[in-house]
Amino acid sequence: MAVKEASSTTMSNGHHGHHDVKGTTTIADSVVASIAGIATRDATGVYAMGSSFTRTIGAARDMMARSDDVTRGVQVEVGEKQTAVDVDVVVEYGYPITRTSDDIRKGVVEAVESMTGLEVTEVNIEVHDVHLPDSDDESREAPRAR
């Protein structure tokens, strides 16, 4: 978990916000994983997240819980000031994998760093499959709208 020291901000009138209240903010690993997962799903060419096994288990869990786990296929290591992110994806056929990977990295770094203040040291991407437009192998997982 990341722990951030709080500092007061000086307003334009020279006064400090909240009378110099000090404290810490702790950012859970699951928060970083959620941010990275959402950013990855937003990248052009990403069809699904996770390996085929985790997608199958996750789809069943999502149906029972009526939710969609944004952290599926995302693993993070979070330190006090830095984090590393690993993502597993399925790429839509026809999208260049190198361009999709670049979009994923850029999106994850921008989202995680801007929302948490942590430095993203690496984003590792494992492409598990290519989704063919007419394939039925993703029976429970609908394609994302673009």
Side-chain angles (χ1 to χ4, degrees):
M1 275 193 210
V3 178
K4 296 282 187 179
E5 292 295 325
S7 59
S8 61
T9 56
T10 304
M11 296 181 199
S12 59
N13 63 4
H15 290 89
H16 292 281
H18 302 290
H19 305 292
D20 291 329
V21 176
K22 298 193 186 309
T24 59
T25 301
T26 304
I27 302 170
D29 295 9
S30 61
V31 171
V32 176
S34 293
I35 295 166
I38 293 166
T40 300
R41 289 171 183 242
D42 287 344
T44 302
V46 173
Y47 175 78
M49 303 226 5
S51 66
S52 57
F53 176 75
T54 60
R55 288 194 322 273
T56 301
I57 298 298
R61 188 178 326 130
D62 291 347
M63 283 180 56
M64 290 189 296
R66 296 178 191 236
S67 69
D68 189 19
D69 182 7
V70 297
T71 63
R72 182 182 310 133
V74 180
Q75 300 83 39
V76 297
E77 291 183 32
V78 181
E80 287 189 29
K81 297 179 182 182
Q82 297 178 323
T83 187
V85 179
D86 297 332
V87 295
D88 300 332
V89 298
V90 175
V91 175
E92 192 74 54
Y93 179 81
Y95 288 88
I97 293 172
T98 54
R99 188 176 310 148
T100 298
S101 296
D102 289 344
D103 287 350
I104 292 169
R105 282 189 182 90
K106 181 180 178 197
V108 168
V109 169
E110 287 176 1
V112 171
E113 288 185 353
S114 68
M115 292 185 72
T116 67
L118 294 169
E119 175 191 2
V120 178
T121 58
E122 62 185 14
V123 178
N124 300 307
I125 301 162
E126 187 167 335
V127 179
H128 283 271
D129 203 354
V130 174
H131 176 260
L132 301 175
D134 295 330
S135 73
D136 293 330
D137 61 330
E138 300 290 335
S139 60
R140 289 195 180 96
E141 204 166 319
R144 299 179 329 121
R146 300 218 196 289

